[in-house]
């Protein structure tokens, strides 16, 4: 069974540009979480999508947005990039609601803003 | 809204020592408490998890202690090894709602 896949692995953008990051969850998983992990820092919750809907968002400006497609894959868009957006962006997928669910992470997209 | 609070932010332990990372939560509806381990450049991976109906779970050198009344749980790493150097995240979940702590960077000195 394929795990969570994220693309691209690395992304270099200049300040002011837009970045699009993609996540394919494990087959059968309906929830996707996005996290930002700046160098040396912990996981900062960005967005949670479930069944195609945005369920929750973290304390990030509106230029961080995303969507979930009917096949449950997801896209994170970051507009008007700033230098401090440089970070590892992690996607996690969670199966349809149930007990003792586990979140599975992708390897992340390393975004560098220059 | 920080649903899960984790401490310390960083931890340095001598080889062979015990590493202890603590987490606290607010929502009593949480029914699953996993710990994740992350090595540099990799995504976090499940290490060990516990349900609230048990007070302790042990897997090898890793033990979760769970205190339901205090709404706290902790990860103990016995006989810590340099290979355990990583970032550790606690989490709490109910259904498909997941909340992570901010992480603890563990360094085990040889």
């Amino acid at each position: 069974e394929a795990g969570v896949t994220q693309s691209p692995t690395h992304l270099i953008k200049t300040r002011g540009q837009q970045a699009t990051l993609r996540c394919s969850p494990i087959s059968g998983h309906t929830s996707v979480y996005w996290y930002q992990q700046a160098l040396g820092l912990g996981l900062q919750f960005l967005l949670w999508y479930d069944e195609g809907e945005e369920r929750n968002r973290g304390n990030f400006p509106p230029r961080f947005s995303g969507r979930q497609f009917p096949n449950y894959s997801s896209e994170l868009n970051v507009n008007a990039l700033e230098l401090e957006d440089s970070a590892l962006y992690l996607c996690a997928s969670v199966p349809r609601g149930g007990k003792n669910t586990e979140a599975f992470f992708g390897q992340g997209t390393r975004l560098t803003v220059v | 809204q920080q649903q899960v609070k984790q401490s310390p932010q960083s931890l340095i332990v001598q080889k062979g020592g015990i590493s202890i990372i603590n987490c606290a939560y607010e929502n009593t509806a949480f029914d699953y408490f996993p710990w994740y381990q992350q090595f540099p450049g990799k995504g976090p991976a499940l290490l060990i998890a516990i349900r609230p109906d048990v007070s302790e779970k042990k897997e090898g050198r890793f033990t979760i202690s769970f205190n339901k009344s205090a709404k706290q749980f902790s990860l103990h790493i016995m006989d810590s090894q340099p290979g355990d150097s990583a970032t550790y995240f606690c989490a709490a979940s109910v259904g498909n709602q997941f909340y992570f702590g901010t992480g603890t960077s563990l360094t085990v000195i040889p």
Side-chain angles (χ1 to χ4, degrees):
Chain A
E1 178 182 283
V4 179
T5 56
Q6 291 187 244
S7 63
T9 305
H10 293 86
L11 187 59
I12 300 175
K13 292 284 187 178
T14 56
R15 192 170 49 183
Q17 284 189 314
Q18 179 197 39
T20 298
L21 288 63
R22 297 179 176 84
C23 172
S24 293
I26 293 172
S27 177
H29 288 198
T30 60
S31 276
V32 170
Y33 288 77
W34 286 97
Y35 295 89
Q36 181 194 66
Q37 188 177 27
L39 190 62
L41 298 181
L43 294 176
Q44 302 296 321
F45 168 66
L46 271 164
L47 291 158
W48 172 31
Y49 291 97
D50 182 54
E51 300 280 3
E53 300 281 334
E54 181 179 303
R55 301 296 186 185
N56 199 7
R57 68 178 290 129
N59 189 26
F60 280 83
R63 57 191 187 84
F64 287 84
S65 65
R67 53 180 171 168
Q68 187 177 34
F69 299 97
N71 67 353
Y72 304 116
S73 66
S74 178
E75 199 173 81
L76 173 69
N77 295 293
V78 187
N79 294 319
L81 285 165
E82 301 178 1
L83 296 178
E84 51 265 37
D85 296 333
S86 295
L88 180 68
Y89 288 83
L90 290 163
C91 162
S93 80
V94 177
R96 197 179 299 271
K99 293 187 73 69
N100 304 336
T101 50
E102 178 185 337
F104 295 82
F105 282 86
Q107 295 295 295
T109 292
R110 172 71 64 187
L111 172 64
T112 302
V113 183
V114 297
Chain B
Q1 65 271 21
Q2 190 65 32
Q3 296 268 356
V4 179
K5 296 181 180 179
Q6 183 172 347
S7 63
Q9 186 174 1
S10 62
L11 182 61
I12 299 174
V13 173
Q14 292 278 353
K15 178 183 176 181
I18 302 174
S19 304
I20 301 174
I21 304 170
N22 301 300
C23 285
Y25 64 97
E26 289 297 324
N27 188 349
T28 55
F30 291 140
D31 60 8
Y32 192 58
F33 299 88
W35 284 87
Y36 286 76
Q37 180 188 53
Q38 182 187 30
F39 292 106
K42 304 290 185 182
L46 180 67
L47 179 65
I48 185 173
I50 196 168
R51 296 189 309 271
D53 55 346
V54 298
S55 59
E56 185 175 281
K57 182 173 182 180
K58 185 175 181 179
E59 289 185 1
R61 296 184 294 107
F62 299 90
T63 300
I64 300 177
S65 296
F66 188 83
N67 186 330
K68 190 174 182 178
S69 61
K71 294 189 286 186
Q72 295 176 348
F73 58 111
S74 59
L75 175 69
H76 296 237
I77 305 174
M78 312 300 288
D79 186 27
S80 298
Q81 299 296 312
D84 297 331
S85 297
T87 301
Y88 293 82
F89 297 95
C90 63
S93 73
V94 54
N96 58 1
Q97 293 188 52
F98 255 86
Y99 298 92
F100 282 86
T102 50
T104 296
S105 176
L106 171 65
T107 302
V108 181
I109 300 171

